[in-house]
Amino acid sequence: MSVLIIVLKAIVAVLSVLLSLLILLHRGKGGGLSDMFGGGLTANAGTSGVAERNLNRWTVGIAVVWVLLIVAIGLIGRLV
């Protein structure tokens, strides 16, 4: 069981980095840190709506898998 927990923790670590990168790729909606660093100037430059929707889908999907893996690690840890 400990090998399974180690593998799941490694997957969670990789997904954490990927999720952070996906979140940083999102377009700023204004009023936040993205405006402070010049994101407000390019917010209306016109990005593809399809690309933004796909980015949202990937982000939510990976976040759900991330949460499920953390719950699974907790449940396996309690059983052992």
Side-chain angles (χ1 to χ4, degrees):
M1 282 290 188
S2 64
V3 174
L4 178 62
I5 292 175
I6 292 171
V7 169
L8 290 178
K9 285 183 180 182
I11 293 171
V12 167
V14 170
L15 287 179
S16 296
V17 172
L18 183 60
L19 191 59
S20 297
L21 292 174
L22 286 174
I23 289 170
L24 288 173
L25 283 174
H26 277 86
R27 183 176 55 154
K29 302 294 186 213
L33 287 176
S34 63
D35 283 341
M36 183 187 307
F37 296 113
L41 299 175
T42 59
N44 293 330
T47 58
S48 173
V50 175
E52 188 72 23
R53 274 192 304 245
N54 286 336
L55 184 60
N56 287 339
R57 289 177 185 151
W58 276 99
T59 305
V60 170
I62 290 175
V64 168
V65 171
W66 184 80
V67 168
L68 291 175
L69 283 175
I70 290 175
V71 170
I73 290 170
L75 290 175
I76 292 170
R78 283 192 109 159
L79 294 175
V80 175

